[in-house]
Amino acid sequence: MKNISSDRASKFTESVIREMTRICLKHQGVNLAQGFPDFPAPREIKEAAVKAILGDLNQYAITWGTPNLRQAVAEKFAWYNGVTVDPEREITVCCGSTEAMISSLMAIVNSDEEVIVFEPFYENYGPDTILCEAKPRFITLHEPDWHFDERELTQAFTNETKAIIINTPNNPTGKVFSREELQLIADLCLKWGVVAVTDEIYEHILYDGAKHISIASLPGMRDQTITINSISKTYSLTGWRVGWAIAPAPLTASIRKVHDFLTVGAPHPLQEAAATALRIDRSYYQTLAKEYEARRDFLFRALGEAGFRVYCPHGAYYIMTDVRHFGFSDDMAFALHLVEKFGIATVPGSSFYSHFSMGETKVRFCFPKKEETLQQAGERLRKFKESRMKK
Ligand SMILES: Cc1ncc(COP(=O)(O)O)c(C=O)c1O
């Protein structure tokens, strides 16, 4: 029999993040692995979805998104990110930012062209580059503040470079790229004709006065940037699968073709409700950030007290930790110990790096959780600490 799996599919493994969720369910653990909220989404958005379904918006929408949602995306991109776009020609609604990213990369990257990726990176970007047969070129973000080396980045840009993936605020580090850092990246993109593909899904989850800047808003970058976003994190709707890619018209034309043949379109009634979400009262975003800050502070303290080396995030909803001193053989061994013995699921750090060794002392915790869930996690972390003190 022929080898059933394609070479492409053989080059990556199943998602470690989603696997940790399955292991967590088996051990009835607290899931601080996969980044989704366990609290309800805003009522008015859910009601808008119900209304759309009862109103029979149940057939295919226009492939690249309902006019109402594209208009809402354009309005919000103008007021929050400071960039004006044409919803008719520059927005493609996709099945989450996950599909927006892969459709965008497939639309612009030829096989063997290079794509620069900062690491640690959101797990999907690895398989994304493999699926579009690109050559990933990794640039390390160095702890404790997750800075990158300017010279290393400058040297990574060549004639072979097609795109650079940016994720700010960043998963898994919590880094919020500064204006200076983005300007440096923008200068290199403009010099080498490289497309910035920026995943801004955590744009409203910011702490300590951090400000979100879209690279598309920097001079000259509007025509060379694909900005990706979704309703998943901002409105606690990860299961609805509605996201979008904003790009200049020629890029959008390519993205729309790939998107059409990959998925046809995102769920029609949920697109209508997403338009309601994007027009929610603006005070919602302040409350969102404030509530997340309280969750971050709680988990940050609990992890520190339990003996973890903790890197404080300034955005997104994850905390990276170093666990080397606990003496386990690697990150997976530690993560399995924590979920099997103490019922806390995390993500082994190596799943965010191109080389296992770079992440083998780290684990990531997430905190989009109700107060009682975090209290429970805090209790379990105390037990973990006690068990170490007995040794
Ligand atoms: C950086 C980043 N991008 C994209 C996603 C997935 O987003 P979506 O639900 O819109 O596909 C996640 C989910 O954790 C993420 O952390």
Side-chain angles (χ1 to χ4, degrees):
M1 174 129 115
K2 287 181 182 156
N3 190 358
I4 296 173
S5 181
S6 70
D7 292 347
R8 204 181 292 117
S10 313
K11 283 189 191 139
F12 53 91
T13 59
E14 269 184 41
S15 157
V16 179
I17 300 179
R18 269 81 83 188
E19 186 192 348
M20 287 310 291
T21 290
R22 292 192 289 273
I23 297 175
C24 181
L25 284 171
K26 204 162 100 194
H27 294 282
Q28 291 167 354
V30 179
N31 190 352
L32 303 189
Q34 196 175 357
F36 61 83
D38 68 349
F39 45 83
R43 192 176 173 88
E44 64 191 277
I45 308 175
K46 291 185 287 196
E47 282 172 352
V50 171
K51 194 168 155 220
I53 291 171
L54 293 177
D56 246 331
L57 295 179
N58 294 313
Q59 310 311 325
Y60 300 124
I62 293 172
T63 301
W64 42 83
T66 65
N68 187 22
L69 176 54
R70 280 181 285 120
Q71 181 61 38
V73 169
E75 283 164 16
K76 183 157 182 288
F77 202 48
W79 77 257
Y80 187 65
N81 310 79
V83 187
T84 309
V85 293
D86 176 0
E88 279 309 310
R89 298 160 62 242
E90 297 184 307
I91 295 172
T92 310
V93 174
C94 295
C95 295
S97 51
T98 300
E99 195 240 316
M101 178 60 80
I102 188 69
S103 290
S104 299
L105 292 177
M106 289 183 104
I108 62 168
V109 180
N110 293 310
S111 54
D112 286 342
E113 286 180 327
E114 289 190 2
V115 175
I116 298 175
V117 182
F118 291 101
E119 72 176 337
F121 50 82
Y122 171 54
E123 201 194 18
N124 282 31
Y125 303 156
D128 282 347
T129 55
I130 293 170
L131 286 170
C132 65
E133 296 176 343
K135 276 199 203 137
R137 177 124 187 203
F138 296 101
I139 298 293
T140 309
L141 297 172
H142 301 276
E143 65 261 37
D145 60 353
W146 307 106
H147 67 277
F148 59 84
D149 185 85
E150 192 176 321
R151 228 179 39 180
E152 191 190 350
L153 183 69
T154 305
Q155 283 168 357
F157 278 76
T158 66
N159 276 333
E160 313 304 314
T161 315
K162 189 60 169 282
I164 178 168
I165 299 178
I166 300 152
N167 170 217
T168 182
N170 184 260
N171 172 12
T173 65
K175 174 186 174 71
V176 180
F177 282 69
S178 69
R179 183 175 289 279
E180 292 71 31
E181 287 172 324
L182 291 170
Q183 188 60 61
L184 175 76
I185 298 169
D187 291 344
L188 289 165
C189 286
L190 292 168
K191 175 174 174 196
W192 292 97
V194 166
V195 180
V197 186
T198 169
D199 176 342
E200 303 187 358
I201 188 169
Y202 298 102
E203 64 180 354
H204 288 288
I205 303 179
L206 297 161
Y207 317 116
D208 314 316
K211 293 260 177 304
H212 172 70
I213 295 161
S214 289
I215 194 166
S217 69
L218 300 186
M221 283 306 288
R222 188 197 177 291
D223 291 335
Q224 229 165 283
T225 302
I226 303 176
T227 307
I228 285 168
N229 215 320
S230 86
I231 58 170
S232 289
K233 311 292 177 172
T234 304
Y235 309 100
S236 306
L237 292 165
T238 59
W240 281 20
R241 317 308 304 129
V242 180
W244 52 88
I246 304 172
L251 288 184
T252 292
S254 289
I255 296 168
R256 286 180 174 182
K257 280 194 288 181
V258 178
H259 157 73
D260 189 4
F261 289 104
L262 278 181
T263 66
V264 177
H268 190 166
L270 304 185
Q271 290 191 44
E272 275 310 291
T276 301
L278 293 179
R279 296 188 177 115
I280 205 164
D281 189 277
R282 292 185 193 179
S283 62
Y284 171 83
Y285 304 108
Q286 272 121 43
T287 309
L288 182 84
K290 220 168 85 203
E291 288 176 354
Y292 269 115
E293 188 152 336
R295 294 182 188 110
R296 178 205 61 173
D297 291 349
F298 179 89
L299 188 63
F300 185 76
R301 205 174 317 113
L303 286 168
E305 284 170 6
F308 287 76
R309 173 146 199 238
V310 220
Y311 303 112
C312 188
H314 301 298
Y317 52 46
Y318 306 93
I319 299 182
M320 269 294 244
T321 65
D322 198 295
V323 297
R324 183 195 301 266
H325 53 291
F326 293 139
F328 286 76
S329 57
D330 60 35
D331 54 335
M332 193 57 171
F334 178 79
L336 287 176
H337 174 77
L338 205 60
V339 68
E340 285 168 2
K341 298 273 186 300
F342 298 94
I344 306 171
T346 59
V347 180
S350 54
S351 52
F352 304 105
Y353 286 91
S354 56
H355 290 101
F356 181 83
S357 61
M358 292 175 82
E360 69 182 339
T361 66
K362 299 185 176 77
V363 295
R364 187 199 76 177
F365 290 77
C366 77
F367 54 86
K369 303 295 165 191
K370 290 191 269 216
E371 196 183 326
E372 54 266 42
T373 311
L374 291 175
Q375 295 279 3
Q376 211 184 3
E379 197 48 49
R380 291 173 185 210
L381 284 168
R382 268 192 291 282
K383 291 207 175 107
F384 166 76
K385 183 184 175 190
E386 282 160 21
S387 78
R388 297 209 46 84
M389 283 166 39
K390 282 187 204 137
K391 283 190 179 164

